[in-house]
Amino acid sequence: MANMIRTFIRDFDEFGDALSENTIYEEYYIMFNISLLYAPLKSFSISIVRFLQLVLTGIFHLYIITICLITLVVARDDFIASGGALIYAIIIFTFLIVLLHVISERKNIAKIHYIIGSGFYEYNETLSSEMIHIKSKYKQLIWWIKRVIPVCTFLCGTVVMCLGPLIDRWAGVKVQEHPDNGINYNLPVPVWEPYDTNGPIPYWITVFSGILSVTLSITVFISFNILYFTISNYIACQLELLKISIQNIEIRAKHLYMEYYKISTSEESLNDINELYSSYNFTECLKVCLKKNIEHHQVILSLHHLANEVFSVPIFIFFFFGGMMVALACYGAITVTGQPGTFWNFVNISIIQMFTIGSMCKMGQALIDLHMNIRQEVYSINWYRYSTNISTSLIIIQQICLRELIFEGPFGVTATLETFADILNTTYSYFSLIVAWQS
């Protein structure tokens, strides 16, 4: 039995070599280890502990979801309690699915970070100042992403779980004591429990379990969002580098021509690029430079394909439930009276959800636009002055660039601004249905 488990772990972690794991640690430190999105599995005993941790996390989340669904039924006449419980259940369910899916894509995550750790593609050429600036720009952007997302998420989680209930207490909001439906309205998130939560010990056990479930979900949320925006920005960086490289293909070929054939820069024939178009040797240098661009483009396409495998299901889950959560939270915010803390909790959830979906769509749209810019750049160079072989290769690149570099989930859900607009329309439809149902 132990040998079978070891074989399964070895196959499951097949692509987890030193380079990919070191890259993951350098990019995300211990965040993936804490959230279980990519826990180290080299030690058999640690692998067993992580598996048990995952099982317990799944059971605990399913318990919380069940409790919330029961609350939805017993508090059906109280929208604030039932709506809050339904939002709570959707949040827990969403991040449970994201956690399980990302874990199942471990091989693809390892391959992605192997490519990142390898430096994507090396041209073995002197980088222009513009390319150095782009690399520096995206490095700084990724640095900020890894710090802003955790800080903002923990602040928002603290507002929902702690500050909101405290504001209600400071405002003198009176809660129902021992209501008939069995819900304790003194809890940060009022839910039904199968035991009496009015005593001090059961009460704090319930509060702690709620904080634990939210904390686990927050760690998954932070880890996935950092993963999504880090990989997306790496792809965007490589697309910009490829664009500049194609833009400067004649300059690169000229430098290569000089280096290969030991030609001095003082020679007059190099002062006019038109003189070189008829040179067989210069044409061969153009082919070498274009071959590097094609290989670089293939690496980018491969990385995007792997990333889409990892992001497809989470994108669908986020977008499918996002509009529903925002509609529930917005209706809760406009109907709650005399509870400023609860009001701000609903507003907070709406803003976080729409900002997350909007940011993911904006990032996806940016990749599509950058990929289209590659096609435009290919057309802008003097392709009509090149040999037939080079012109044919450029046409192939243009045709490939017609395929949108798009993150797509099940049922054709895509991370684009058009999808974001559709989600806004769907959210309004959900909101109108809730208003009609409640009236």
Side-chain angles (χ1 to χ4, degrees), residues 247-308:
Q247 189 178 59
N248 299 326
I249 189 169
E250 292 183 355
I251 298 174
R252 293 165 50 223
K254 183 177 175 179
H255 289 164
L256 191 63
Y257 177 69
M258 293 164 55
E259 181 182 347
Y260 275 10
Y261 300 103
K262 310 298 181 183
I263 298 175
S264 171
T265 55
S266 61
E267 293 193 25
E268 268 186 48
S269 60
L270 291 177
N271 294 330
D272 185 5
I273 195 71
N274 294 321
E275 296 289 334
L276 295 173
Y277 289 138
S278 58
S279 170
Y280 172 80
N281 292 334
F282 181 73
T283 300
E284 290 301 307
C285 290
L286 274 173
K287 287 181 181 179
V288 171
C289 293
L290 181 59
K291 178 176 177 290
K292 291 180 180 180
N293 289 137
I294 292 173
E295 290 173 348
H296 187 194
H297 192 210
Q298 288 175 336
V299 171
I300 295 172
L301 294 176
S302 175
L303 178 61
H304 179 268
H305 174 73
L306 293 171
N308 190 61

Side-chain angles (χ1 to χ4, degrees), residues 10 14 32 57 66 90 112 121 124 126 162 167 225 238 244 267 282 303 359 387 428 433:
R10 186 173 60 252
E14 179 182 359
F32 275 25
T57 300
T66 303
I90 292 174
I112 288 169
Y121 184 81
N124 295 321
T126 303
C162 302
I167 291 174
N225 276 276
Q238 294 303 310
I244 294 173
E267 293 193 25
F282 181 73
L303 178 61
S359 300
S387 67
Y428 181 74
L433 287 173

Side-chain angles (χ1 to χ4, degrees), residues 335-347:
T335 54
V336 65
T337 55
Q339 300 179 46
T342 304
F343 167 79
W344 282 112
N345 279 353
F346 282 129
V347 172

Side-chain angles (χ1 to χ4, degrees), residues 60 78 88 107 188 196 261 297:
F60 178 62
D78 181 358
Y88 190 18
K107 292 181 180 180
D196 184 11
Y261 300 103
H297 192 210

